[in-house]
Amino acid sequence: MNRAREPIGVIGTGYVGLVTAVGFAELGSEVWCVDIDAAKIERLRAGDVPIYEPGLDELLAANAERLHFSTELSEALEHTRLLFVAVGTPPTHSGDADLSAVHQVVDAMPAWDTSQAGQRALVMKSTVPCGTGAKIKRIFREQGKSGFSYVSCPEFLKEGSAVRDFLHPDRVVIGDEHDWAGEAVAALYEPFGAPLVRTDVASAEMIKLAANAFLATKISFINEIANVCEEVGADVVEVARGVGLDARIGPRFLQAGLGYGGSCFTKDVSALKLLAANSGYHFQLLNAVIEVNELQKRRVVSKLQRHLSSVVGKRVALLGLAFKPNTDDMRGASSLVLAARLHAEGAEVRAFDPVAAEEACRLMPNLEVAASALEAVADADAVVLVTEWPEFLELDWKQVAAAMRGELVIDGRNVLDADAVRSAGLAYEGIGRGPIEHPSEAGAATRVGERAEG
């Protein structure tokens, strides 16, 4: 698989850029990576991966000879004709995508005459609004850079499994103007053997936004079903199982919980809604998806208030802080809203996350962070599972019960063994799983004895 292949440039070494660079290096390409962050480049040159992504550091080390890191764009231009753009496009205060980094890349490109200097193309990996490619082509013409071709090649990487997703994609989307650049990008991806969607630039841009918006819609839908299930005594896990067996629907993204988070869903749903609005269309469905998601993060506070009468002065332990397991990314994390609301209501909050604690403390300086799950639950009146890290699924709930002051466990992701929690003498409540079952008197007595022995 490591046969000689076309070299590429990658501009931006965040999640998408670094995984793309390392992935193509694994396939045999020489890769020139460019980033304006000199400290990050020095870390990468030393083999130090600045983000948490399973398998990425091993793959970088294995392909170090083919990976070149620099703050200078000239090196990538000298050695490559395909420049993959993977810079950040965070939301602005209005909710639109901030394309300033993309435009900095475009402006940094030199004037280019294909007849004299050879072929060059920008390959857009950054998630951008539909119509961005057309605007960049216009800018190229205005700046005397019409020798640059343009390709849209959106990424579909999931944080926590990005390396696997890159090496085993379920599809590759390429939007181009039917010139050499699209063919060259298709040739790079040919070894993956994934379904290839060749289309126009605008459609490729829309595919990425539409895909994430649809997945976010499924999550908000099942969370609404979960909320109804709580009112009528149904179990959303059983409902989702029955619904998901319909081949037209499928089981994925039908897990009720605290709502979606991360940078992609949050940003892309908002960007698509505003893209529609700016184009004269009111996207009512996405308004509801966003509203449901924001309210879902706050429902846990209502559950705590209902079962504890008041959270004032109560200690609540949060298990997990990152927006999902296997990442340290806190962007859009439910824990941010949950911790802020609990603090505002007068509760004491102590949390534990195996990876994201440092970033969480940067974002929430007043958050008390424990060194372990058992330390987090010590003397807690209630425990909330926020992120479904595997180690939380393997907790000894009798130890947890012995450490706690109260008895309430709220499973914010519906992944815990409810019977194991209850058999430890604790009260379990999930999301959309019917009324809470409190521990029996015998279970409570057993727990008191265990606590006294401990």
Side-chain angles (χ1 to χ4, degrees):
M1 198 176 235
N2 288 340
R3 66 183 186 275
R5 286 164 48 84
E6 172 156 357
I8 66 165
V10 176
I11 304 173
T13 57
Y15 275 100
V16 175
L18 191 54
V19 172
T20 299
V22 170
F24 277 129
E26 173 71 6
L27 290 178
S29 291
E30 293 281 329
V31 183
W32 274 262
C33 302
V34 183
D35 200 294
I36 61 173
D37 187 336
K40 182 191 290 186
I41 289 297
E42 286 304 313
R43 290 183 63 180
L44 289 168
R45 284 173 174 167
D48 181 13
V49 177
I51 58 176
Y52 181 83
E53 184 62 40
L56 187 57
D57 49 356
E58 294 90 348
L59 214 56
L60 185 144
N63 295 281
E65 293 183 357
R66 284 190 288 271
L67 290 161
H68 313 275
F69 298 100
S70 176
T71 57
E72 299 298 327
L73 182 61
S74 58
E75 293 187 27
L77 284 166
E78 178 184 350
H79 294 97
T80 71
R81 61 176 185 160
L82 296 176
L83 298 167
F84 285 76
V85 180
V87 296
T89 55
T92 63
H93 292 299
S94 67
D96 295 289
D98 181 356
L99 299 181
S100 58
V102 171
H103 288 300
Q104 286 176 9
V105 172
V106 172
D107 292 342
M109 293 298 120
W112 205 266
D113 185 337
T114 303
S115 62
Q116 296 177 349
Q119 298 168 323
R120 291 292 183 278
L122 285 190
V123 183
M124 189 59 63
K125 276 287 177 189
S126 301
T127 301
V128 296
C130 187
T132 300
K135 293 177 182 176
I136 290 176
K137 289 292 290 182
R138 187 192 70 236
I139 293 171
F140 276 157
R141 290 193 297 270
E142 293 172 350
Q143 295 181 350
K145 304 172 184 178
S146 56
F148 275 94
S149 292
Y150 183 89
V151 178
S152 175
C153 185
E155 55 85 16
F156 299 97
L157 308 177
K158 301 183 294 293
E159 289 185 35
S161 62
V163 172
R164 184 177 70 247
D165 293 343
F166 183 88
L167 296 175
H168 305 282
D170 49 19
R171 82 282 208 192
V172 175
V173 176
I174 298 175
D176 67 303
E177 298 179 328
H178 306 290
D179 62 3
W180 69 270
E183 295 297 328
V185 174
L188 278 174
Y189 280 96
E190 186 272 334
F192 295 115
L196 178 62
V197 179
R198 293 291 300 274
T199 185
D200 60 277
V201 171
S203 296
E205 293 168 338
M206 182 60 83
I207 286 170
K208 174 59 188 292
L209 295 176
N212 278 351
F214 180 76
L215 295 176
T217 300
K218 284 188 78 173
I219 293 170
S220 283
F221 175 81
I222 198 62
N223 281 333
E224 285 279 72
I225 293 297
N227 297 338
V228 176
C229 284
E230 291 185 356
E231 299 299 323
V232 301
D235 185 341
V236 73
V237 173
E238 294 300 304
V239 174
R241 184 163 68 96
V243 170
L245 289 171
D246 189 325
R248 298 169 300 175
I249 300 172
R252 301 188 66 185
F253 292 87
L254 286 181
Q255 289 74 42
L258 302 179
Y260 60 80
S263 64
C264 291
F265 283 7
T266 305
K267 172 172 67 72
D268 293 352
V269 171
S270 178
L272 180 54
K273 184 193 79 166
L274 286 168
L275 173 67
N278 294 338
S279 302
Y281 181 75
H282 180 54
F283 209 142
Q284 297 184 63
L285 177 60
L286 289 189
N287 283 328
V289 168
I290 294 169
E291 181 181 6
V292 168
N293 194 61
E294 290 306 307
L295 292 174
Q296 194 70 14
K297 297 175 182 179
R298 291 164 170 79
R299 282 182 65 86
V300 168
V301 177
S302 298
K303 288 176 181 285
L304 290 167
Q305 290 172 325
R306 183 169 71 251
H307 294 299
L308 301 177
S309 298
S310 169
V311 297
V312 175
K314 299 296 175 61
R315 173 167 288 177
V316 179
L318 303 183
L319 296 182
L321 292 165
F323 88 91
K324 63 183 290 188
N326 296 319
T327 182
D328 60 354
D329 198 344
M330 289 290 299
R331 290 175 292 181
S334 298
S335 62
L336 295 172
V337 174
L338 187 52
R341 288 304 314 146
L342 287 170
H343 278 140
E345 295 292 335
E348 299 176 24
V349 181
R350 181 187 291 167
F352 170 71
D353 189 287
V355 171
E358 182 178 348
E359 178 64 9
C361 288
R362 187 184 68 82
L363 297 171
M364 298 181 285
N366 296 327
L367 180 67
E368 182 181 354
V369 175
S372 69
L374 284 178
E375 182 181 313
V377 304
D379 295 322
D381 295 288
V383 172
V384 181
L385 178 79
V386 181
T387 312
E388 60 275 33
W389 285 96
E391 65 183 79
F392 298 151
L393 278 59
E394 299 172 358
L395 283 172
D396 184 330
W397 288 101
K398 290 185 178 180
Q399 286 187 339
V400 172
M404 288 179 65
R405 180 168 59 204
E407 62 181 29
L408 178 63
V409 175
I410 295 181
D411 182 0
R413 299 297 177 182
N414 287 347
V415 293
L416 299 178
D417 183 337
D419 290 336
V421 174
R422 291 178 180 129
S423 67
L426 296 169
Y428 171 91
E429 179 166 0
I431 305 297
R433 307 207 68 182
I436 190 171
E437 293 185 24
H438 287 276
S440 65
E441 293 295 326
T446 299
R447 187 162 137 253
V448 169
E450 289 172 347
R451 183 177 293 160
E453 293 171 5

